[in-house]
Amino acid sequence: MKKLMMMALMAVAATSAFGQDLLVKEAKKLSSKGDYDGAVKLLAPALTSSETTDKAAAWNVQSSIHYDNYMHFQTLEAQNQVSARKDPYDTLAMHRAAVAAWEAALKCDEFDQLPNAKGKVKMKYRTASQGRFKNFGVSLVQAGQFVYQKHYDKEALNAWELYVNMKNTPIFAEVKDFPRDPFYADICYYVAYLAYQQKDFAKAEKYAQLTIEVDPTKTSDANEILLFSKKDKMSNAQDSLDYVNMVKELHKANPQEGRYFNLLMEYYTRANNPEALNAWVLEEVNVNPDNKMTWALKGEAEMNAEKWNESIESFKKALEIDPDFIQCAFNVGRCYYAKAMELQNSLSDKNGMITNANRAKVVEVLDEAEKYYIRTRELDPDRATCNWAYPLYQIYYFKQNKEMMKELEAIDSSLAQ
C-alpha cells in the first residue's frame, strides 16, 4: 500500500519540472530494489514531459532499468541450467527487456547529443553505453528469434533491425573493434524477408540490397525479395519500368532460369500492350532461340494478327524444340484452318460457289490442318488441354468424310446436333 501511495504522489508531483526529475530518482530506487515493472511505469511521464530538465538522464535510467531486468532474467536462466531447482521466469519479458534496453540507450544518446544552454555538447552517457552494449548484439538476435517463433513478426523485425544497425548508430560509429557476428548477413536477410511479409517494400529492398553487399553468396535469395518487392509495389509507370528492368537483368544473367522468363511473360501478356509484347518476344527469339515458349508467344502474337504463314513457322519452331508441345500442334492446325477458310472466301464467287479445281486448293490446305489436329489428338486423346474434336469435325464435314464424322460424333455427342 505504501508503494502505491508513493507512486500516486509521484504522479501528482510530475506536473512540475521538479516532479519530473524526482520521478527519475524514484524510478532508479525502485529498479535497485528489483521492481523493474514499477520503475518503468513510474518513469514513463518523465520520458515525454517537456518539464523534464534532463531527458538524456531520464532515458539513461530507462535503459538501465530494462538492462538490469534483462540481466536479472539471464541470471535466473543460468541458475536453472545448473541447478536442480527450476525457478520460473518470463522468457518473453526477458527478450523484450533486451530490446527495450537498447532502444532506450538510443534515445538517451539522441538527447545526449543536444547542446546545453551554452551551446556546447557534452556527452555524458555514450561511453557507458558503448561498454554496456558493445557485445549486446547477440541478445537482440536471440530476442528476435524468440518472438519470431511466437509469431510476433513485427517485434522480430524490430529486434533484428536494431541489431543490424547497431554498428552504424552514433554510439558505435567510431568504435573500430565493434564485433561483427558470423550470422550478420543471415539477419540482414531475415529483416528483408519480414519487411516484405509486412508489405514494407522500401525496407525490404534496403535490407535485401544490404544482404547482397555483406554476403554475395546470398545474392540469389536477396534478389527474390528485391524482385517481388518491386512487383508488389507497382503503382505507376516508373514502378513498372523498375520491375521489368530488374527481371530482364536477372533473366539475362540467368538465361536458363525459367522463372524469370515466366515473370516477363506474365508481365507483358497482362500489360495489354501488344507492341511491347511483340518487341520483347522478338528480342527473346534473338537472345535465346532454343526457348520453345518464346516461339510459342511469337506464334500467338502473329496468329492474333492473322499472319498465318508467320505464325505457322513460329509454332513449328516450338515443335522442333518440343515435339510434344500440345498447344503449338493445335495452333498450327488452327492457322492452317483459318488460312484455308480465307482461301475459300477468296476463290468463291459472289454467290459463295467454288469450282472443283479451287476446292481442291482449299482441301490441300485443310489437309495440313487435319495433320496437326490428328497430332494433337495423339498427344491429348482425352482433350484435357485442347478440344481438337470440333475443328477436326469441321474439316471432315468440308471433305464430306462421313465415316470420320461418325467417329467424332461418338466421341462428342454435341457434334451430331
Side-chain angles (χ1 to χ4, degrees):
M1 180 65 72
K2 265 186 170 184
K3 185 168 69 176
L4 290 174
M5 289 179 64
M6 178 59 72
M7 292 180 68
L9 288 171
M10 290 300 102
V12 173
T15 56
S16 66
F18 171 77
Q20 295 293 352
D21 294 334
L22 183 59
L23 288 181
V24 175
K25 294 178 182 179
E26 292 301 322
K28 287 180 68 174
K29 290 179 182 179
L30 281 180
S31 179
S32 67
K33 296 176 182 178
D35 186 0
Y36 305 111
D37 291 340
V40 168
K41 291 176 183 176
L42 185 62
L43 182 60
L47 298 175
T48 56
S49 173
S50 60
E51 297 294 335
T52 306
T53 57
D54 192 344
K55 284 284 184 65
W59 280 104
N60 181 60
V61 171
Q62 174 85 334
S63 180
S64 295
I65 294 169
H66 286 300
Y67 182 83
D68 291 345
N69 191 18
Y70 173 71
M71 295 308 297
H72 168 70
F73 283 127
Q74 285 275 287
T75 300
L76 289 176
E77 185 176 58
Q79 289 174 348
N80 284 347
Q81 290 176 355
V82 298
S83 173
R85 176 184 172 183
K86 305 298 182 184
D87 293 321
Y89 66 97
D90 191 337
T91 312
L92 178 59
M94 177 181 75
H95 290 299
R96 283 174 170 169
V99 174
W102 174 240
E103 287 180 321
L106 291 173
K107 290 295 292 184
C108 171
D109 197 74
E110 179 185 325
F111 285 105
D112 208 15
Q113 296 177 67
L114 298 178
N116 58 23
K118 296 181 180 180
K120 294 183 179 181
V121 175
K122 293 185 178 181
M123 304 295 295
K124 298 178 184 178
Y125 305 104
R126 180 171 291 180
T127 300
S129 290
Q130 288 172 345
R132 173 176 286 178
F133 293 104
K134 183 177 178 180
N135 295 295
F136 200 71
V138 66
S139 298
L140 295 177
V141 172
Q142 290 171 343
Q145 183 178 9
F146 184 85
V147 294
Y148 180 67
Q149 290 172 344
K150 295 292 184 181
H151 305 292
Y152 299 136
D153 289 0
K154 288 186 178 180
E155 289 188 54
L157 173 59
N158 180 52
W160 283 337
E161 187 178 12
L162 287 169
Y163 159 76
V164 168
N165 291 323
M166 281 189 85
K167 172 64 177 71
N168 297 320
T169 61
I171 295 175
F172 292 113
E174 297 179 2
V175 176
K176 295 181 180 179
D177 61 340
F178 184 81
R180 181 58 62 87
D181 300 307
F183 39 75
Y184 181 80
D186 292 324
I187 303 303
C188 287
Y189 173 78
Y190 293 142
V191 171
Y193 174 77
L194 284 177
Y196 172 74
Q197 292 286 74
Q198 295 171 35
K199 300 188 183 302
D200 189 342
F201 301 124
K203 184 176 289 186
E205 290 181 28
K206 173 185 174 181
Y207 288 100
Q209 191 60 54
L210 180 59
T211 302
I212 294 170
E213 291 172 9
V214 298
D215 187 357
T217 65
K218 298 185 184 301
T219 296
S220 179
D221 291 335
N223 272 337
E224 290 297 294
I225 294 175
L226 281 170
L227 181 60
F228 285 99
S229 290
K230 290 183 182 296
K231 181 182 181 184
D232 291 353
K233 77 173 185 180
M234 283 192 298
S235 61
N236 55 50
Q238 186 59 51
D239 287 345
S240 298
L241 184 62
D242 290 343
Y243 166 71
V244 75
N245 283 341
M246 182 176 181
V247 185
K248 282 185 174 181
E249 288 175 9
L250 291 171
H251 179 49
K252 184 177 180 181
N254 306 275
Q256 302 307 316
E257 179 56 73
R259 62 184 157 171
Y260 298 132
F261 175 85
N262 291 336
L263 286 171
L264 287 169
M265 180 172 65
E266 176 191 40
Y267 173 81
Y268 281 110
T269 52
R270 288 186 176 182
N272 195 26
N273 187 339
E275 291 183 3
L277 173 63
N278 293 341
W280 172 67
V281 167
L282 289 175
E283 181 181 322
E284 280 295 308
V285 165
N286 292 325
V287 172
N288 190 7
D290 294 327
N291 186 340
K292 66 178 183 179
M293 290 304 303
T294 305
W295 288 107
L297 283 173
K298 183 173 182 289
E300 188 170 339
E302 292 162 340
M303 182 172 64
N304 291 336
E306 298 185 358
K307 297 179 180 179
W308 310 122
N309 290 333
E310 292 92 331
S311 181
I312 288 168
E313 291 306 310
S314 294
F315 287 132
K316 284 183 176 179
K317 284 281 188 180
L319 286 169
E320 288 176 9
I321 298 168
D322 180 4
D324 296 333
F325 200 156
I326 296 171
Q327 295 92 331
C328 284
F330 183 76
N331 283 339
V332 174
R334 288 177 64 190
C335 291
Y336 273 122
Y337 184 84
K339 186 178 176 182
M341 294 301 98
E342 278 192 0
L343 180 62
Q344 180 188 10
N345 290 335
S346 67
L347 296 177
S348 299
D349 61 25
K350 62 181 180 180
N351 296 316
M353 302 299 293
I354 188 171
T355 65
N356 289 335
N358 284 337
R359 180 183 174 82
K361 294 177 182 179
V362 175
V363 169
E364 185 178 349
V365 180
L366 284 176
D367 286 342
E368 291 298 311
E370 179 185 357
K371 181 170 68 175
Y372 280 93
Y373 282 137
I374 290 174
R375 184 171 177 178
T376 304
R377 179 178 183 177
E378 292 169 351
L379 293 171
D380 186 26
D382 296 327
R383 295 179 288 168
T385 303
C386 300
N387 185 13
W388 42 262
Y390 178 76
L392 196 55
Y393 185 85
Q394 292 294 102
I395 291 173
Y396 293 139
Y397 180 84
F398 187 89
K399 292 182 176 183
Q400 287 299 295
N401 187 333
K402 295 182 179 180
E403 181 180 351
M404 293 306 302
M405 289 171 64
K406 287 182 179 179
E407 180 182 317
L408 290 176
E409 287 170 0
I411 294 173
D412 187 344
S413 58
S414 67
L415 296 175
Q417 296 175 2

